[in-house]
Amino acid sequence: MAALITVITVSYNSVCSIEDTINSVLSQNFKDCEYIIIDGKSTDGTIDVIYKYKRQIDCILTEKDSGIYDAMNKGIDKARGEWILFLNCGDVFYSSNVLKDVSNYLSNTDASVVYGDTQVIFPNDIHVILKPKSMNAMRRKLPFCHQACFLRRDVAISNLFDLNYKICADYNQFYSIYLANYQFQYIPITISKYLLTEGFSLNNEFLLLKEEFKVNAKTRKMSDYVFYGVNYSKILIRKNLPTKLVSFIRRLLYN
């Protein structure tokens, strides 16, 4: 029997994007899936969209929260599955076979974290498969995309998101798991896809760098100071470059 997988979507005023995510989850041809939506009491019609599908969603919670990571912790608390995956509003599964294909790995692994590839869609409709970096990169940043990662529920409960972080609570969570010597496993499957937009992280790059620096404080080496210094300089330069040139450079880096 396949292990139950819980997919969690957190939302707040996401009326333009949440329906794509809901339909992507409901179209999975895998029966052992629990779907949970945690909404921060949206006021833009998001809740109306969610309740269109209430008979197909296992759990809907609509209440005020302290931000995205607080909502995600609530999702973990509600989850019944052995494995948890977070799929953000607007993000979708790569295909309708993803959970079925992944379940074959999840049922035959001792790992606590299983992660795969992600497809990134640029605003000009260029599609790029983003493969995870080496796990050695965990010392400085999250080497895989969160929406392409399955985490055992018992490990998630023991490592809830730290609400002191505004951007890097997911990195902090996985870094703590990594330092505790839990096993990570890469699988050659493209899990999800998302549109690269100027979201919160990209609009707050200095805060992102600051929080990443804070996460790995206990294990920081001298070379890391150089790494973060270089990246700080890059952000300064980028902030003063034309938007089109920045987009062009990003495409080159992803390729």
Side-chain angles (χ1 to χ4, degrees), residues 61-85:
L61 178 64
T62 302
E63 64 181 25
K64 290 287 187 181
D65 54 52
S66 301
I68 185 171
Y69 293 119
D70 184 29
M72 292 166 81
N73 281 341
K74 291 179 181 182
I76 293 172
D77 180 64
K78 295 289 183 182
R80 297 182 299 109
E82 182 178 345
W83 294 90
I84 292 174
L85 175 134

Side-chain angles (χ1 to χ4, degrees), residues 235-250:
I235 294 171
L236 280 177
I237 294 171
R238 228 176 14 247
K239 293 291 183 184
N240 292 285
L241 289 176
T243 303
K244 288 185 178 180
L245 180 57
V246 173
S247 297
F248 174 73
I249 293 172
R250 281 190 181 134

Side-chain angles (χ1 to χ4, degrees), residues 99-122:
L99 291 184
K100 181 179 180 181
D101 293 341
V102 169
S103 70
N104 295 324
Y105 289 92
L106 299 183
S107 298
N108 295 283
T109 184
D110 294 325
S112 295
V113 183
V114 175
Y115 60 97
D117 303 333
T118 313
Q119 184 181 65
V120 180
I121 305 172
F122 289 89

Side-chain angles (χ1 to χ4, degrees), residues 27-230:
S27 68
Q28 289 294 300
N29 56 13
F30 179 73
K31 64 179 181 178
D32 295 312
C33 174
E34 174 189 49
Y35 190 30
I36 295 174
I37 296 182
I38 308 294
D39 182 80
K41 216 159 190 181
S42 295
T43 57
D44 68 340
T46 299
I47 296 173
D48 294 331
V49 175
I50 294 171
Y51 274 90
K52 279 173 55 180
Y53 301 91
K54 65 179 181 180
R55 293 183 179 179
Q56 297 163 275
I57 299 171
D58 297 280
C59 175
I60 299 172
L61 178 64
T62 302
E63 64 181 25
K64 290 287 187 181
D65 54 52
S66 301
I68 185 171
Y69 293 119
D70 184 29
M72 292 166 81
N73 281 341
K74 291 179 181 182
I76 293 172
D77 180 64
K78 295 289 183 182
R80 297 182 299 109
E82 182 178 345
W83 294 90
I84 292 174
L85 175 134
F86 286 95
L87 200 64
N88 301 328
C89 282
D91 300 340
V92 297
F93 283 115
Y94 185 70
S95 76
S96 59
N97 296 319
V98 167
L99 291 184
K100 181 179 180 181
D101 293 341
V102 169
S103 70
N104 295 324
Y105 289 92
L106 299 183
S107 298
N108 295 283
T109 184
D110 294 325
S112 295
V113 183
V114 175
Y115 60 97
D117 303 333
T118 313
Q119 184 181 65
V120 180
I121 305 172
F122 289 89
N124 56 2
D125 206 34
I126 292 178
H127 296 59
V128 177
I129 298 297
L130 183 63
K131 292 189 174 295
K133 298 183 183 300
S134 163
M135 284 304 298
N136 292 329
M138 183 71 84
R139 283 185 48 250
R140 292 172 175 169
K141 58 176 63 259
L142 195 60
F144 47 77
C145 292
H146 199 173
Q147 60 267 56
C149 172
F150 296 82
L151 174 63
R152 287 191 188 273
R153 177 178 173 272
D154 59 340
V155 179
I157 290 173
S158 301
N159 295 272
L160 293 174
F161 296 102
D162 185 341
L163 303 189
N164 290 312
Y165 292 95
K166 302 302 180 185
I167 299 179
C168 289
D170 51 350
Y171 172 40
N172 178 67
Q173 180 196 53
F174 284 111
Y175 196 49
S176 299
I177 292 170
Y178 176 74
L179 292 178
N181 293 317
Y182 285 97
Q183 185 179 343
F184 288 68
Q185 180 184 346
Y186 167 73
I187 57 175
I189 296 176
T190 303
I191 308 296
S192 60
K193 54 184 176 180
Y194 71 95
L195 177 66
L196 185 68
T197 59
E198 296 294 326
F200 185 75
S201 295
L202 289 177
N203 289 328
N204 294 272
E205 292 179 286
F206 289 116
L207 177 59
L208 174 63
L209 203 64
K210 179 181 178 181
E211 290 196 353
E212 288 176 341
F213 195 64
K214 179 181 177 182
V215 167
N216 58 41
K218 293 180 181 179
T219 58
R220 193 179 304 138
K221 298 180 179 179
M222 186 58 66
S223 60
D224 295 323
Y225 287 93
V226 176
F227 172 83
Y228 285 106
V230 169

